[in-house]
Amino acid sequence: MGHSNTNIDTSPLRTKQGRDPSYDIARGIAIYLIAIAHVLRTGMVLSTIGVSVLSVFVFISGRNAACSSAFHLPLPSLLKKKFLSLLPSYFFCAGFSVVVFLALGRFAGSASDFSLPKGVFQILYANSKHDGMKWNTALWFLPCLFMLFLLAGWMLQVHPFPRLWMILTLLLFFFTPNCFSQLRLPWQIESALHLLPMFFLGLLFEGSGLQKKFHALKNHSFLSFLLSLLFLSTYLFLAHLNGEVSIRTDEYHNPFLYLPATICGCAGILLLSQTIAGQKKKALPFDTKTLLTSFGEESMTILLWHKFPIIAMQILLKHRLPVLSSHPDSLPSVLLSLPLAFLSVILALGWGRLLRKGSLFLITGSPQAYFKRK
């Protein structure tokens, strides 16, 4: 769509010194890992990826809220801002997904009981549990994120004390780690409640001394790399102990393993992003920093459209590469998922930019507008 906001969170990624690329890089890493998880579709690798990547987006959203004036606005103004930045793209892509699913899903035998009115209801209700959004389950996160902003904005206006809200939402999480799995509230409000602790943690992080130490690591790439390895190793160990989980369906198993795992995973990805942001020379034949920054800046576009090339590849490669569906946790499957996920991200970026330029051309009526960058 012809929308200027192309990252999943819409607050500025700025510090007093200007835009901080490390947060774009972190989101770029996270959105690429999401694509890998969707290529694999099921299994422990998918579960392990899911433990950390959504927390990265929510944590950065909380951090950005501390740098933005949006959460100081009256609640209706905040909701209007977040609605316009997140949901037009959701409704457009969801409508497109339902039409494609109706047209092609029957060939895969997955749309026999599906109809247009059912699809419209699912778009509006926006709860992906129990195949509620099987036409594009990746989209569940956008309405859920809007509800998270609504809840956080209301809480901060009731009492502008994020520490209190983090404690209360943590208590809610620890007392109800798996109790929400059968709930199917509109726009996955139940999932937003469980994601709130990471939002408030990001909010508190920006105003703490840790934030200054984190930014100082940009000039010490080797140290930040070692720390990222330490946190990521801890995250993988804890995630393995906890077993398969699913944030989308509110299945966390042991909260005393899940929460440290997701914090370590989030910290590891953020530290790795600082390592990459501090690169003065190319560590690889291609420019990793520029590539991941582009992914992060366009994380909304990628989230919206990456499932379409993945589904096409899964159908085309089903018989040629059966290991992907039969053994998703095997090393060959994981290695195969890397280039397939990368291709899906590139195709999603291309399609998203084509849509934006096309909509600009329709709005302005100027052929020159189509050829302008972005």
Side-chain angles (χ1 to χ4, degrees), residues 269-343:
I269 290 173
L270 287 167
L271 287 163
L272 183 59
S273 74
Q274 278 288 34
T275 304
I276 296 168
Q279 280 183 352
K280 293 182 173 59
K281 295 181 180 180
K282 293 182 182 179
L284 296 169
F286 53 88
D287 191 343
T288 317
K289 181 178 176 180
T290 302
L291 184 69
L292 290 173
T293 302
S294 297
F295 287 0
E297 290 173 347
E298 298 269 6
S299 54
M300 170 80 87
T301 303
I302 296 168
L303 181 73
L304 289 170
W305 301 110
H306 76 282
K307 282 294 289 289
F308 291 97
I310 286 176
I311 291 169
M313 286 185 284
Q314 285 169 341
I315 293 171
L316 291 172
L317 300 175
K318 184 176 181 180
H319 299 294
R320 296 188 179 185
L321 297 172
V323 68
L324 273 174
S325 56
S326 60
H327 299 91
D329 288 334
S330 65
L331 182 60
S333 290
V334 174
L335 293 176
L336 278 170
S337 71
L338 303 181
L340 294 179
F342 183 79
L343 179 60

Side-chain angles (χ1 to χ4, degrees), residues 39 51 91 102 140 186 200 205 227 307 311 316 328 347 357:
V39 170
V51 168
F91 286 121
L102 279 168
W140 77 272
F200 287 117
F205 169 82
L227 287 172
K307 282 294 289 289
I311 291 169
L316 291 172
L347 291 173
K357 290 180 178 181

Side-chain angles (χ1 to χ4, degrees), residues 64-374:
N64 293 345
C67 303
S68 169
S69 61
F71 280 82
H72 298 289
L73 295 171
L75 190 59
S77 300
L78 170 66
L79 296 184
K80 179 182 176 182
K81 180 180 175 68
K82 295 302 181 183
F83 185 97
L84 292 175
S85 60
L86 287 172
L87 297 178
S89 297
Y90 162 75
F91 286 121
F92 178 78
C93 185
F96 185 86
S97 302
V98 166
V99 170
V100 171
F101 190 72
L102 279 168
L104 303 177
R106 299 181 193 282
F107 293 104
S110 56
S112 57
D113 60 341
F114 192 73
S115 63
L116 182 59
K118 187 175 183 179
V120 171
F121 172 79
Q122 290 176 349
I123 290 172
L124 296 174
Y125 199 77
N127 192 301
S128 65
K129 295 178 182 177
H130 308 294
D131 288 334
M133 295 169 65
K134 61 182 177 182
W135 31 267
N136 195 339
T137 51
L139 298 183
W140 77 272
F141 186 58
L142 296 179
C144 179
L145 187 61
F146 176 78
M147 295 309 301
L148 185 147
F149 288 140
L150 184 156
L151 292 167
W154 174 78
M155 290 174 176
L156 291 171
Q157 293 200 7
V158 169
H159 198 305
F161 192 53
R163 280 188 178 86
L164 170 67
W165 292 118
M166 191 178 79
I167 292 168
L168 291 176
T169 53
L170 274 174
L171 287 173
L172 175 69
F173 179 79
F174 280 118
F175 281 114
T176 62
N178 303 293
C179 297
F180 291 173
S181 59
Q182 297 304 314
L183 281 179
R184 295 190 64 190
L185 299 177
W187 294 26
Q188 292 207 208
I189 300 171
E190 69 275 20
S191 302
L193 284 167
H194 275 163
L195 290 169
L196 276 170
M198 288 303 294
F199 178 87
F200 287 117
L201 186 63
L203 195 69
L204 291 168
F205 169 82
E206 184 59 23
S208 70
L210 283 174
Q211 185 261 352
K212 294 179 182 178
K213 294 178 181 178
F214 173 72
H215 289 292
L217 286 170
K218 193 178 293 185
N219 299 320
H220 302 87
S221 294
F222 184 68
L223 177 59
S224 63
F225 179 66
L226 289 179
L227 287 172
S228 73
L229 288 181
L230 175 64
F231 277 103
L232 290 172
S233 299
T234 306
Y235 143 67
L236 290 172
F237 174 71
L238 293 174
H240 177 73
L241 286 181
N242 196 30
E244 289 191 34
V245 300
S246 172
I247 295 175
R248 183 178 66 82
T249 56
D250 293 291
E251 296 172 273
Y252 297 94
H253 290 188
N254 187 339
F256 295 97
L257 289 174
Y258 169 81
L259 197 64
T262 195
I263 291 172
C264 287
C266 184
I269 290 173
L270 287 167
L271 287 163
L272 183 59
S273 74
Q274 278 288 34
T275 304
I276 296 168
Q279 280 183 352
K280 293 182 173 59
K281 295 181 180 180
K282 293 182 182 179
L284 296 169
F286 53 88
D287 191 343
T288 317
K289 181 178 176 180
T290 302
L291 184 69
L292 290 173
T293 302
S294 297
F295 287 0
E297 290 173 347
E298 298 269 6
S299 54
M300 170 80 87
T301 303
I302 296 168
L303 181 73
L304 289 170
W305 301 110
H306 76 282
K307 282 294 289 289
F308 291 97
I310 286 176
I311 291 169
M313 286 185 284
Q314 285 169 341
I315 293 171
L316 291 172
L317 300 175
K318 184 176 181 180
H319 299 294
R320 296 188 179 185
L321 297 172
V323 68
L324 273 174
S325 56
S326 60
H327 299 91
D329 288 334
S330 65
L331 182 60
S333 290
V334 174
L335 293 176
L336 278 170
S337 71
L338 303 181
L340 294 179
F342 183 79
L343 179 60
S344 74
V345 167
I346 297 300
L347 291 173
L349 280 175
W351 176 247
R353 289 178 178 178
L354 186 67
L355 284 176
R356 287 201 298 277
K357 290 180 178 181
S359 62
L360 186 62
F361 169 70
L362 290 173
I363 292 168
T364 63
S366 169
Q368 286 79 14
Y370 182 83
F371 295 99
K372 286 182 180 178
R373 190 177 179 185
K374 289 191 178 182

